[in-house]
Amino acid sequence: MIHSVDLYSKNRIIKVVNILTTGEEMTKYNKSEAELEAIFQQKIDSEQKIEPKDWMPEAYRKNLIRQMSQHAHSEIIGMQPEGNFITRAPSLRRKTVLLSKVQDEGGHGLYLYSATETLGIERSELISALQSGQAKYASIFNYPAQTWGDMGAIGWLVDGAAIVNQVSLQRTSYGPYARGMIRICKEESFHQRQGYVIMMELAKGTPAQKQMAQDSLNRFYWPSLMMFGPHDSESAHSAKSMKWKIKRETNDDLRQKFIDQTAPQIAYLGLEHPDKDLVWNEEKGQHDSGEIDWEEFYAVINGNGHSNRQRIQHHVKAHEEGAWVRDAMSEYKQKKLQRKINAETAA
Ligand code: FAQ
């Protein structure tokens, strides 16, 4: 009989083997850590992907686990504001579209957790870090969704901002993350479009509907800009992440792209721009814009946004209620393994 502790040790053994590979490579190629690091950086500089079994500096692995798991958590926690509106969608068609969109976000979270696990960390460790508040998720999901207009604003602006970032991440240096991003971006484009269509319908509807669209835009515009993170000068991880090509463009450059792409979309809807300081700068070929409320940003990422506690409580509850699924899966896995061992012993 194989007990779960045996399976657990099996995973531990895999981890140890991975660590040994590092040592083996050092002996195999007779290379020091510094030489391996130089080879690693050359690979990055020549646009080769780093794959799970390749040698990588420990700080690269840790930084990737941090960013990728936070990205996965964002997708999963991000299901909550829109999930809350599935039963309130104004038509059957809208309900099916929203349901499918929210399911896609769940799928993105799962690809990203799986990709993170290739770096030698267990899913359960990632989930504990989320639930204990040790790991962050995108600040935007701590703002409440209050109206149907918010479903439009989230799809258009939140998925829109996510795409601007994720298009650049398709070229990230870690192979499993880059490949995951290609599929995720295709799905996010549909999400962004469905959000904009909701906004177009509201904006050309009754005065009350147009007002609803304006109100959603006003509440979600600035938090969407915050999705790109602090200014480059304040960004703790950017320098290393850019050198390692985990990030391909800086927080401020990506935010600027989003500001520039969103301005004509707001104008097309006939809505007022929430940034009263926004002006086109002919010389720079981009917009100059007003300053983000960074106090609000830091309050939200440090756990004090409107919905932080509610989002985590909801996740903990859903996770506990799903325990039987995980137990059933692990029993089944053990049963299959035991059958295989029995068959091999009998042969
Ligand atoms: N929210 O040094 P940096 C989506 C943290 S997917 C919360 O600049 P970095 C789809 C940062 O983690 C949206 N925390 O950090 C969807 C770090 O804290 P740490 C998610 C933030 O990593 C749509 C600290 O501040 N997308 O929306 C935020 O180099 C609709 C210092 O910052 C991704 O995760 C923030 N906005 O750059 C789903 C993309 N900004 O870890 C459902 C991948 C910064 O030291 C519905 N991630 N922090 O404790 C990235 O590109 C990067 O991680 C950044 C931040 C750009 C988010």
Side-chain angles (χ1 to χ4, degrees), residues 5 21 38 57 62 65 88 118 120 125 178 198 208 243 307 347:
V5 64
T21 312
K62 282 204 176 128
I65 291 177
R88 302 177 198 176
T118 63
E125 286 180 61
I198 293 175
K243 176 173 178 235
S307 308

Side-chain angles (χ1 to χ4, degrees), residues 18 40 43-69 71 111-121 126 166 168-182 184 240-248:
N18 283 343
F40 167 84
K43 241 176 163 178
I44 303 252
D45 294 343
S46 60
E47 297 294 330
Q48 290 179 58
K49 295 286 176 232
I50 305 299
E51 296 298 339
K53 288 183 180 163
D54 292 348
W55 186 91
M56 60 185 84
E58 188 54 15
Y60 174 86
R61 193 181 75 87
K62 282 204 176 128
N63 195 17
L64 263 180
I65 291 177
R66 182 195 63 82
Q67 176 169 325
M68 290 168 68
S69 63
H71 194 164
Y111 313 150
L112 285 163
Y113 281 132
S114 300
T116 312
E117 283 178 294
T118 63
L119 291 156
I121 186 157
L126 302 174
Q166 289 170 169
S168 78
L169 289 174
Q170 292 179 126
R171 293 182 297 116
T172 189
S173 57
Y174 189 55
Y177 194 20
R179 291 188 286 275
M181 280 302 117
I182 293 170
I184 289 176
K240 265 274 152 95
S241 294
M242 293 293 289
K243 176 173 178 235
W244 285 331
K245 298 191 180 172
I246 291 175
K247 279 163 87 163
R248 301 305 308 251

Side-chain angles (χ1 to χ4, degrees), residues 159-206:
D159 286 273
I163 298 174
V164 168
N165 187 354
Q166 289 170 169
V167 162
S168 78
L169 289 174
Q170 292 179 126
R171 293 182 297 116
T172 189
S173 57
Y174 189 55
Y177 194 20
R179 291 188 286 275
M181 280 302 117
I182 293 170
R183 174 159 177 178
I184 289 176
C185 279
K186 286 186 186 153
E187 293 176 350
E188 299 289 26
S189 301
F190 146 69
H191 300 166
Q192 200 256 0
R193 187 72 196 156
Q194 67 85 38
Y196 196 65
V197 166
I198 293 175
M199 293 303 272
M200 284 200 292
E201 282 175 14
L202 290 175
K204 65 170 196 253
T206 63

Side-chain angles (χ1 to χ4, degrees), residues 45 57 78 85 125 127 143 145 151 170 206 233 253 331 335 341 347:
D45 294 343
F85 269 82
E125 286 180 61
I127 303 292
Y143 291 81
M151 297 304 98
Q170 292 179 126
T206 63
S233 54
D253 286 349
E331 280 297 319
K335 221 163 147 182
I341 291 169

Side-chain angles (χ1 to χ4, degrees), residues 42-331:
Q42 268 169 18
K43 241 176 163 178
I44 303 252
D45 294 343
S46 60
E47 297 294 330
Q48 290 179 58
K49 295 286 176 232
I50 305 299
E51 296 298 339
K53 288 183 180 163
D54 292 348
W55 186 91
M56 60 185 84
E58 188 54 15
Y60 174 86
R61 193 181 75 87
K62 282 204 176 128
N63 195 17
L64 263 180
I65 291 177
R66 182 195 63 82
Q67 176 169 325
M68 290 168 68
S69 63
Q70 294 190 165
H71 194 164
H73 300 326
S74 306
E75 302 279 359
I76 297 297
I77 296 290
M79 295 167 79
Q80 291 187 35
E82 289 168 297
N84 203 23
F85 269 82
I86 292 170
T87 52
R88 302 177 198 176
S91 68
L92 182 61
R93 185 172 159 272
R94 284 277 155 221
K95 190 196 280 280
T96 51
V97 171
L98 188 61
L99 185 62
S100 145
K101 194 253 187 217
V102 173
Q103 283 175 339
D104 282 354
E105 306 297 2
H108 297 173
L110 299 184
Y111 313 150
L112 285 163
Y113 281 132
S114 300
T116 312
E117 283 178 294
T118 63
L119 291 156
I121 186 157
E122 306 273 328
R123 178 105 39 127
S124 53
E125 286 180 61
L126 302 174
I127 303 292
S128 312
L130 167 69
Q131 293 187 346
S132 68
Q134 200 191 319
K136 296 186 170 73
Y137 57 87
S139 47
I140 187 84
F141 301 118
N142 294 307
Y143 291 81
Q146 300 173 30
T147 65
W148 180 250
D150 290 359
M151 297 304 98
I154 291 175
W156 165 37
L157 299 172
V158 177
D159 286 273
I163 298 174
V164 168
N165 187 354
Q166 289 170 169
V167 162
S168 78
L169 289 174
Q170 292 179 126
R171 293 182 297 116
T172 189
S173 57
Y174 189 55
Y177 194 20
R179 291 188 286 275
M181 280 302 117
I182 293 170
R183 174 159 177 178
I184 289 176
C185 279
K186 286 186 186 153
E187 293 176 350
E188 299 289 26
S189 301
F190 146 69
H191 300 166
Q192 200 256 0
R193 187 72 196 156
Q194 67 85 38
Y196 196 65
V197 166
I198 293 175
M199 293 303 272
M200 284 200 292
E201 282 175 14
L202 290 175
K204 65 170 196 253
T206 63
Q209 286 171 324
K210 189 167 180 185
Q211 183 49 42
M212 181 188 273
Q214 182 69 58
D215 172 58
S216 299
L217 168 60
N218 293 347
R219 282 182 293 106
F220 278 89
Y221 180 75
W222 291 104
S224 301
L225 299 190
M226 295 177 196
M227 287 176 71
F228 296 95
H231 279 313
D232 296 345
S233 54
E234 307 297 317
S235 166
H237 303 289
S238 278
K240 265 274 152 95
S241 294
M242 293 293 289
K243 176 173 178 235
W244 285 331
K245 298 191 180 172
I246 291 175
K247 279 163 87 163
R248 301 305 308 251
E249 287 178 73
T250 70
N251 298 0
D252 284 332
D253 286 349
L254 290 170
R255 183 169 19 245
Q256 186 65 48
K257 266 192 192 165
F258 179 72
I259 291 170
D260 292 335
Q261 100 178 11
T262 307
Q265 293 169 348
I266 294 174
Y268 182 79
L269 291 173
L271 298 178
E272 269 181 44
H273 202 296
D275 181 354
K276 301 296 169 233
D277 295 326
L278 190 95
V279 280
W280 178 251
N281 183 326
E282 193 64 52
E283 206 179 306
K284 286 194 197 156
Q286 62 186 39
H287 291 88
D288 289 336
S289 50
E291 195 50 278
I292 289 170
D293 180 348
W294 292 109
E295 249 179 61
E296 177 180 317
F297 169 76
Y298 285 110
V300 177
I301 69 167
N302 289 320
N304 296 315
H306 184 283
S307 308
N308 294 59
R309 284 169 196 80
Q310 187 193 336
R311 298 293 185 235
I312 293 298
Q313 277 165 11
H314 189 77
H315 189 276
V316 169
K317 183 167 175 280
H319 192 65
E320 282 168 1
E321 286 171 0
W324 68 274
V325 179
R326 293 189 295 282
D327 289 346
M329 282 171 69
S330 116
E331 280 297 319

